[in-house]
Amino acid sequence: MDRPDRQEYIRQVLECYRRAPGTTGYTRQSDRQLASHLYDRMVSASVVEAAIILATARRVLRPPDYPPLAPIRSLHYFLPVIDEITAAPLPPDYLNYLREKLERHLKVQQG
């Protein structure tokens, strides 16, 4: 698979972050800098997306009686999960399972 150029990679990563449930929906200069750093580390955009999905699932699929969490304000929030997945990649089926589970959960929340 061809590696996207830096600007396309940064755009993909920031768009994935911006659209993730639980984020503010905005990006900052520090998010852009981190995306650039991840590009330099050769972390694939798919790994970043997997980390965002996994961390989002961990936040969203908590017991409903737990107190609400504050919005995620930075891509840096996902850095430990990016490192986790870099060290031990998720099975593709598990990632698909999480996507579907999140979709169902968010549809129920939206009514």
Side-chain angles (χ1 to χ4, degrees), residues 3-4 6 9-10 13 31-48 51 75-88:
R3 185 175 187 215
R6 179 181 297 276
Y9 175 91
I10 291 170
V13 166
D31 299 322
R32 179 170 288 287
Q33 290 169 342
L34 177 56
S36 181
H37 176 71
L38 293 170
Y39 181 86
D40 292 341
R41 282 181 43 196
M42 298 187 76
V43 175
S44 72
S46 62
V47 166
V48 176
L75 181 62
H76 285 82
Y77 176 88
F78 299 99
L79 194 52
V81 186
I82 292 168
D83 292 338
E84 176 185 335
I85 291 174
T86 301

